[in-house]
Amino acid sequence: MSGTFREGKSWHIWLTVLAILVVGIGIYFYYTFFRQSESDVVESVPPDAIYVFDINNNSDFAGKYPYFSNYLNEIFALDALPAFETMCSKIRSSDSRFTISAHQYDDGIKLLFNLRASKSDFNNLLRALKIDQKNYTNFENSKIYSYGTNFQNMKFSYSNNVISFSTDPDLLKKAILQQIHPKKIFSNKDFQKVYSISEKNRKQNWLLINQESYLNYLKYLLKTETINDLREELIQSSWIGFQIRFSKNEIFLSGYSLSENIDNVIEQGNGFNLASLVPNNSKRFSRFETFATKDLSMLSNYKFPKESSRILEGLSVKELCTFVCKHDTSYVSLLSLLPDTNVSVLTFFAGTKVSDSLIRATIDNIYPLPEVFSTTLTSLVSDTLRWFVEINGGLVFSPSRDVLLRYRKMITKNEILSQNPTYKIISDAVASSAVREITLFNEPDDDYFSAILSESGTKTMLGHNMRAFSLSYGTSTEKDLIPINVYMLFQ
């Protein structure tokens, strides 16, 4: 009896093992054959990508690339793009979809191009390029071919309805292995969420950026302090997605970041009210909209000291802006605030050690800044603020009286930002209902812009020819997405 029982139990065990093997083999064949043949071409991108261009309209992308090639090569290392375009023009229409992904290697960024194609397309490519089909390298049941263009030598292979191209053979082998690997780039939840936005508009070209990896790449172009500033501005999620548009001498990126790591802000931005207090010749400005006390939690991402937050709360600040102007031979930073309409100079001094007699003795209506402000607001600018003036309903703070005197002359002459023709162009690219905006201007023979560039960055075409840069974003949406825009203007 017991022997019969053990025999029956043994059969159950073997049936269970067999079932597991069948399921495992089924999963293997699903991923190896059916899943890869039906998968999105983006799934062929290895998960360690620094960025991914998802090109849906190549006629627009390739048509504008020659004009912007110097800048795009410096920003995204797209040097291999002409070689890819040369090869693929033999077999595909201009609107065929493909991806460009960047991957970090010891000697810099390497590019991988993935193009959805049929087996007959691939055979046509071999014939068009006059490739000897017997001259290849075997790797993991795939054939790697080589072709030298006038631009660069490319390696390419075909697997699961995708042709992969790269100048680097190791990256191409990585792409081949990725085809049969069950872990895809969609395993990253942030990437999946951002990518789902791009799926809603397949007529546009998209750029998906791994923010931390890309900022590390930009170290060759920007100074460490600049990278740290951008990191504080941008790092809310690992991935961020943009639509790409080119127009004459402009590059415009419009997209979304995830807002899971910051508090939601219900109110929407109501425009740049402090623009009338920013001089026309400013080299840089950076502005917040704060709305109310509870919204000052936004500022915690920018390391504002608690004392600064308390002061801003006490003044019921609705908007603040820092800007940089040239004074004689040096650059100075100023701060402007838009307080509640009930705030006056006297209430501004309430509770401080500045006496009423000193206030009454102030000439030119330029007031000494109470010490509590001078120490706590230093983190907002690169200098110590010692004086302030009330003008057009706002408060403007400066390191010296002389700077404020010159500043006030410019403002009264209507030499303000809203009259700057370049900013009028930039303002059209600012994110809708923006609550945060950073803009830099780069005039010819001006050395301020070079202050944010690394030594190698100052030698780039980008550093010489960019005339303006703008980053702006709005409040989070019901789907925890933050609208974010980047704008670049070239001469």
Side-chain angles (χ1 to χ4, degrees), residues 217-230:
Y217 161 71
L218 287 180
K219 287 179 180 177
Y220 95 93
L221 181 66
L222 304 174
K223 284 185 175 179
T224 302
E225 310 89 83
T226 310
I227 294 292
N228 291 337
D229 288 344
L230 284 173

Side-chain angles (χ1 to χ4, degrees), residues 10 32 56 64 86 91 215 296 403 444 469 483:
S10 175
T32 304
N56 299 289
K64 300 293 175 55
T86 297
I91 60 166
L215 287 176
L296 291 171
V403 171
F469 171 88

Side-chain angles (χ1 to χ4, degrees), residues 6-29:
R6 284 195 298 269
E7 184 178 346
K9 185 176 181 181
S10 175
W11 275 107
H12 280 93
I13 293 173
W14 280 108
L15 285 172
T16 302
V17 172
L18 181 61
I20 293 173
L21 287 173
V22 170
V23 171
I25 293 172
I27 292 173
Y28 171 79
F29 278 100

Side-chain angles (χ1 to χ4, degrees), residues 131 136 204 208 212 323 336 427 434 453:
I131 300 292
Y136 60 84
Q204 294 290 333
L208 310 172
E212 186 60 42
F323 51 94
S336 59
S427 60
L453 301 174

Side-chain angles (χ1 to χ4, degrees), residues 188-438:
N188 184 299
K189 293 181 179 179
D190 283 353
F191 180 88
Q192 191 175 36
K193 288 181 180 179
V194 171
Y195 182 75
S196 66
I197 305 169
S198 70
E199 289 182 301
K200 298 176 182 178
N201 189 344
R202 282 291 172 222
K203 294 181 180 180
Q204 294 290 333
N205 297 320
W206 288 83
L207 170 62
L208 310 172
I209 295 177
N210 184 312
Q211 296 188 66
E212 186 60 42
S213 298
Y214 185 64
L215 287 176
N216 286 333
Y217 161 71
L218 287 180
K219 287 179 180 177
Y220 95 93
L221 181 66
L222 304 174
K223 284 185 175 179
T224 302
E225 310 89 83
T226 310
I227 294 292
N228 291 337
D229 288 344
L230 284 173
R231 183 175 283 111
E232 290 183 7
E233 291 292 340
L234 293 172
I235 300 298
Q236 310 296 344
S237 61
S238 58
W239 286 87
I240 187 169
F242 296 102
Q243 290 184 37
I244 318 161
R245 297 186 181 92
F246 302 99
S247 175
K248 296 181 181 178
N249 56 344
E250 304 164 304
I251 298 177
F252 180 43
L253 307 178
S254 171
Y256 294 90
S257 178
L258 303 181
S259 63
E260 293 179 347
N261 297 331
I262 68 171
D263 294 333
N264 286 347
V265 180
I266 299 174
E267 295 90 344
Q268 297 292 301
N270 59 358
F272 191 6
N273 297 301
L274 286 176
S276 62
L277 297 183
V278 178
N280 185 31
N281 65 348
S282 295
K283 305 302 178 185
R284 167 187 174 139
F285 71 85
S286 177
R287 63 113 173 175
F288 282 99
E289 289 188 38
T290 58
F291 302 111
T293 300
K294 64 181 178 63
D295 301 319
L296 291 171
S297 60
M298 288 182 66
L299 307 184
S300 63
N301 293 300
Y302 309 98
K303 299 182 179 179
F304 285 19
K306 293 182 179 179
E307 293 81 1
S308 297
S309 296
R310 282 198 290 269
I311 290 171
L312 297 174
E313 291 173 12
L315 291 174
S316 299
V317 173
K318 295 187 289 186
E319 187 176 8
L320 65 88
C321 179
T322 62
F323 51 94
V324 176
C325 297
K326 195 163 189 176
H327 182 72
D328 295 330
T329 59
S330 60
Y331 295 100
V332 293
S333 298
L334 295 89
L335 168 68
S336 59
L337 301 177
L338 184 64
D340 185 271
T341 53
N342 296 323
V343 174
S344 67
V345 170
L346 292 179
T347 56
F348 183 81
F349 280 96
T352 69
K353 297 180 180 179
V354 181
S355 65
D356 291 343
S357 59
L358 180 58
I359 296 173
R360 287 193 295 272
T362 299
I363 60 174
D364 299 321
N365 291 322
I366 296 177
Y367 299 92
L369 184 62
E371 184 178 356
V372 63
F373 274 83
S374 183
T375 55
T376 59
L377 295 184
T378 301
S379 63
L380 302 179
V381 296
S382 57
D383 207 340
T384 302
L385 303 172
R386 301 187 184 280
W387 299 85
F388 79 100
V389 64
E390 185 178 21
I391 185 169
N392 295 339
L395 302 169
V396 180
F397 305 83
S398 167
S400 73
R401 290 185 78 259
D402 289 342
V403 171
L404 277 182
L405 286 170
R406 179 175 294 185
Y407 159 80
R408 192 161 57 181
K409 286 180 181 179
M410 288 187 292
I411 296 301
T412 54
K413 290 180 180 179
N414 207 33
E415 297 176 4
I416 57 179
L417 184 66
S418 56
Q419 301 301 317
N420 185 320
T422 301
Y423 184 67
K424 289 180 179 179
I425 299 173
I426 293 172
S427 60
D428 290 335
V430 173
S432 60
S433 303
V435 295
R436 184 76 172 106
E437 179 181 357
I438 301 171

Side-chain angles (χ1 to χ4, degrees), residues 105-120:
Y105 284 80
D106 292 338
D107 54 348
I109 279 183
K110 303 295 183 182
L111 295 185
L112 173 68
F113 301 85
N114 285 320
L115 171 70
R116 172 72 69 187
S118 66
K119 183 64 175 179
S120 61

